[in-house]
Short mmCIF file of all heavy atoms in Angstrom, two decimals:
data_model
loop_
_atom_site.label_atom_id
_atom_site.label_comp_id
_atom_site.label_asym_id
_atom_site.label_seq_id
_atom_site.Cartn_x
_atom_site.Cartn_y
_atom_site.Cartn_z
N ARG E 665 0.87 -1.22 0.01
CA ARG E 665 0.01 -0.01 0.01
C ARG E 665 0.89 1.23 -0.02
O ARG E 665 1.85 1.30 0.74
CB ARG E 665 -0.92 0.03 1.25
CG ARG E 665 -2.11 -1.01 1.08
CD ARG E 665 -3.01 -0.79 2.22
NE ARG E 665 -2.41 -1.26 3.53
CZ ARG E 665 -2.48 -2.55 3.94
NH1 ARG E 665 -3.08 -3.47 3.23
NH2 ARG E 665 -1.91 -2.88 5.11
N LEU E 666 0.48 2.19 -0.76
CA LEU E 666 1.09 3.48 -0.85
C LEU E 666 0.08 4.53 -0.59
O LEU E 666 -1.00 4.58 -1.26
CB LEU E 666 1.74 3.71 -2.26
CG LEU E 666 2.84 2.76 -2.74
CD1 LEU E 666 2.24 1.44 -3.29
CD2 LEU E 666 3.73 3.45 -3.73
N VAL E 667 0.33 5.40 0.32
CA VAL E 667 -0.62 6.43 0.71
C VAL E 667 0.07 7.84 0.65
O VAL E 667 0.99 8.12 1.45
CB VAL E 667 -1.13 6.23 2.14
CG1 VAL E 667 -2.13 7.33 2.51
CG2 VAL E 667 -1.77 4.85 2.24
N GLU E 668 -0.44 8.65 -0.29
CA GLU E 668 0.09 9.98 -0.46
C GLU E 668 -0.67 10.98 0.47
O GLU E 668 -1.76 10.79 0.81
CB GLU E 668 -0.08 10.48 -1.89
CG GLU E 668 0.60 9.61 -2.95
CD GLU E 668 -0.38 8.60 -3.54
OE1 GLU E 668 -1.35 8.21 -2.91
OE2 GLU E 668 -0.07 8.17 -4.71
N SER E 669 0.08 12.04 0.82
CA SER E 669 -0.51 13.08 1.59
C SER E 669 0.27 14.41 1.34
O SER E 669 1.36 14.34 0.74
CB SER E 669 -0.49 12.80 3.06
OG SER E 669 0.84 12.62 3.56
N GLY E 670 -0.30 15.48 1.74
CA GLY E 670 0.40 16.76 1.65
C GLY E 670 -0.02 17.68 0.54
O GLY E 670 0.42 18.82 0.43
N GLY E 671 -0.90 17.16 -0.34
CA GLY E 671 -1.47 18.04 -1.40
C GLY E 671 -2.39 19.09 -0.85
O GLY E 671 -2.73 19.10 0.28
N GLY E 672 -2.77 20.01 -1.72
CA GLY E 672 -3.65 21.07 -1.35
C GLY E 672 -3.66 22.19 -2.36
O GLY E 672 -3.19 22.05 -3.46
N LEU E 673 -4.19 23.32 -1.93
CA LEU E 673 -4.28 24.50 -2.71
C LEU E 673 -3.14 25.46 -2.34
O LEU E 673 -2.97 25.81 -1.15
CB LEU E 673 -5.59 25.19 -2.51
CG LEU E 673 -5.86 26.48 -3.30
CD1 LEU E 673 -5.83 26.32 -4.73
CD2 LEU E 673 -7.20 27.11 -2.81
N VAL E 674 -2.41 25.93 -3.33
CA VAL E 674 -1.32 26.84 -3.08
C VAL E 674 -1.32 27.91 -4.15
O VAL E 674 -1.70 27.64 -5.32
CB VAL E 674 0.01 26.12 -3.01
CG1 VAL E 674 0.31 25.44 -4.41
CG2 VAL E 674 1.17 27.04 -2.65
N GLN E 675 -0.86 29.14 -3.83
CA GLN E 675 -0.75 30.20 -4.82
C GLN E 675 0.48 29.99 -5.74
O GLN E 675 1.45 29.40 -5.30
CB GLN E 675 -0.69 31.58 -4.12
CG GLN E 675 -1.96 32.00 -3.50
CD GLN E 675 -1.84 33.45 -2.93
OE1 GLN E 675 -0.82 33.83 -2.44
NE2 GLN E 675 -3.00 34.09 -3.02
N ALA E 676 0.38 30.52 -6.90
CA ALA E 676 1.55 30.44 -7.85
C ALA E 676 2.76 31.02 -7.13
O ALA E 676 2.71 32.10 -6.50
CB ALA E 676 1.22 31.20 -9.12
N GLY E 677 3.88 30.36 -7.33
CA GLY E 677 5.14 30.78 -6.68
C GLY E 677 5.33 30.11 -5.32
O GLY E 677 6.42 30.29 -4.71
N GLY E 678 4.34 29.50 -4.77
CA GLY E 678 4.41 28.88 -3.50
C GLY E 678 5.02 27.48 -3.55
O GLY E 678 5.47 27.02 -4.59
N SER E 679 5.03 26.84 -2.39
CA SER E 679 5.66 25.50 -2.29
C SER E 679 4.77 24.55 -1.53
O SER E 679 3.91 24.94 -0.76
CB SER E 679 6.99 25.64 -1.50
OG SER E 679 7.92 26.46 -2.11
N LEU E 680 4.96 23.30 -1.88
CA LEU E 680 4.32 22.19 -1.17
C LEU E 680 5.27 21.03 -1.06
O LEU E 680 6.12 20.86 -1.98
CB LEU E 680 3.05 21.70 -1.89
CG LEU E 680 1.77 22.50 -1.79
CD1 LEU E 680 0.72 21.92 -2.64
CD2 LEU E 680 1.30 22.50 -0.31
N ASN E 681 5.09 20.22 -0.03
CA ASN E 681 5.83 18.98 0.08
C ASN E 681 4.81 17.86 0.25
O ASN E 681 4.04 17.84 1.17
CB ASN E 681 6.75 19.08 1.33
CG ASN E 681 7.63 17.80 1.37
OD1 ASN E 681 7.20 16.73 1.89
ND2 ASN E 681 8.84 17.91 0.88
N VAL E 682 4.84 16.97 -0.78
CA VAL E 682 3.99 15.82 -0.67
C VAL E 682 4.78 14.58 -0.21
O VAL E 682 5.95 14.49 -0.49
CB VAL E 682 3.22 15.54 -1.95
CG1 VAL E 682 2.27 16.65 -2.32
CG2 VAL E 682 4.24 15.36 -3.16
N SER E 683 4.13 13.68 0.44
CA SER E 683 4.83 12.46 0.92
C SER E 683 3.99 11.26 0.62
O SER E 683 2.82 11.31 0.24
CB SER E 683 5.08 12.58 2.41
OG SER E 683 3.85 12.63 3.16
N CYS E 684 4.70 10.11 0.64
CA CYS E 684 4.10 8.83 0.38
C CYS E 684 4.62 7.84 1.35
O CYS E 684 5.83 7.60 1.43
CB CYS E 684 4.40 8.46 -1.06
SG CYS E 684 3.96 6.72 -1.54
N VAL E 685 3.78 7.23 2.12
CA VAL E 685 4.13 6.19 3.07
C VAL E 685 3.90 4.82 2.46
O VAL E 685 2.72 4.58 2.00
CB VAL E 685 3.41 6.30 4.44
CG1 VAL E 685 3.78 5.22 5.34
CG2 VAL E 685 3.75 7.71 5.06
N VAL E 686 4.83 3.94 2.45
CA VAL E 686 4.71 2.64 1.81
C VAL E 686 4.68 1.55 2.89
O VAL E 686 5.54 1.57 3.76
CB VAL E 686 5.85 2.42 0.83
CG1 VAL E 686 5.64 1.06 0.10
CG2 VAL E 686 5.96 3.58 -0.21
N SER E 687 3.78 0.62 2.79
CA SER E 687 3.69 -0.49 3.75
C SER E 687 4.74 -1.53 3.41
O SER E 687 5.27 -1.62 2.23
CB SER E 687 2.33 -1.06 3.75
OG SER E 687 2.04 -1.68 2.44
N GLY E 688 5.07 -2.38 4.34
CA GLY E 688 5.99 -3.48 4.16
C GLY E 688 7.36 -3.15 4.59
O GLY E 688 7.71 -2.01 4.94
N ARG E 689 8.14 -4.21 4.66
CA ARG E 689 9.52 -4.11 5.12
C ARG E 689 10.60 -3.97 4.07
O ARG E 689 11.78 -3.96 4.36
CB ARG E 689 9.85 -5.34 6.05
CG ARG E 689 9.04 -5.41 7.31
CD ARG E 689 9.41 -6.64 8.09
NE ARG E 689 9.05 -7.88 7.37
CZ ARG E 689 9.33 -9.09 7.72
NH1 ARG E 689 10.07 -9.26 8.85
NH2 ARG E 689 8.92 -10.10 6.98
N THR E 690 10.12 -4.04 2.80
CA THR E 690 11.01 -4.08 1.61
C THR E 690 11.09 -2.69 0.88
O THR E 690 11.48 -2.72 -0.27
CB THR E 690 10.69 -5.19 0.67
OG1 THR E 690 9.35 -4.98 0.17
CG2 THR E 690 10.75 -6.50 1.34
N PHE E 691 10.69 -1.67 1.51
CA PHE E 691 10.65 -0.39 0.88
C PHE E 691 12.02 0.03 0.28
O PHE E 691 12.14 0.51 -0.82
CB PHE E 691 10.16 0.70 1.89
CG PHE E 691 10.30 2.10 1.33
CD1 PHE E 691 9.38 2.60 0.49
CD2 PHE E 691 11.27 2.99 1.83
CE1 PHE E 691 9.51 3.94 0.01
CE2 PHE E 691 11.38 4.26 1.43
CZ PHE E 691 10.45 4.75 0.50
N SER E 692 13.07 -0.29 1.03
CA SER E 692 14.42 0.08 0.60
C SER E 692 14.98 -0.62 -0.58
O SER E 692 16.01 -0.27 -1.14
CB SER E 692 15.39 0.01 1.80
OG SER E 692 15.45 -1.34 2.23
N ARG E 693 14.30 -1.70 -0.97
CA ARG E 693 14.77 -2.52 -2.09
C ARG E 693 14.32 -2.07 -3.47
O ARG E 693 14.70 -2.60 -4.50
CB ARG E 693 14.35 -3.95 -1.95
CG ARG E 693 14.98 -4.67 -0.73
CD ARG E 693 14.53 -6.10 -0.65
NE ARG E 693 15.09 -6.81 0.48
CZ ARG E 693 16.26 -7.46 0.49
NH1 ARG E 693 17.01 -7.49 -0.61
NH2 ARG E 693 16.70 -8.03 1.57
N TYR E 694 13.47 -1.02 -3.55
CA TYR E 694 12.96 -0.58 -4.80
C TYR E 694 13.17 0.83 -5.06
O TYR E 694 13.11 1.67 -4.20
CB TYR E 694 11.38 -0.85 -4.77
CG TYR E 694 10.99 -2.28 -4.54
CD1 TYR E 694 10.72 -2.81 -3.29
CD2 TYR E 694 10.84 -3.09 -5.66
CE1 TYR E 694 10.40 -4.15 -3.11
CE2 TYR E 694 10.50 -4.45 -5.47
CZ TYR E 694 10.25 -4.94 -4.19
OH TYR E 694 9.87 -6.21 -4.02
N ALA E 695 13.35 1.14 -6.33
CA ALA E 695 13.32 2.52 -6.78
C ALA E 695 11.85 3.05 -6.57
O ALA E 695 10.90 2.26 -6.60
CB ALA E 695 13.72 2.62 -8.25
#
């Protein structure tokens, strides 16, 4: 499972940081 978060509404020129949490113990084995 992959769950994104951090999106939203922002004005032009602004910044956002989105993240994705991945389930399982093998996250580090994949691009």
Side-chain angles (χ1 to χ4, degrees):
R665 288 186 289 273
L666 298 83
V667 181
E668 301 96 335
S669 63
L673 177 65
V674 63
Q675 290 186 325
S679 298
L680 280 176
N681 185 277
V682 294
S683 62
C684 171
V685 177
V686 184
S687 65
R689 297 178 294 172
T690 61
F691 173 75
S692 63
R693 294 183 180 270
Y694 301 92

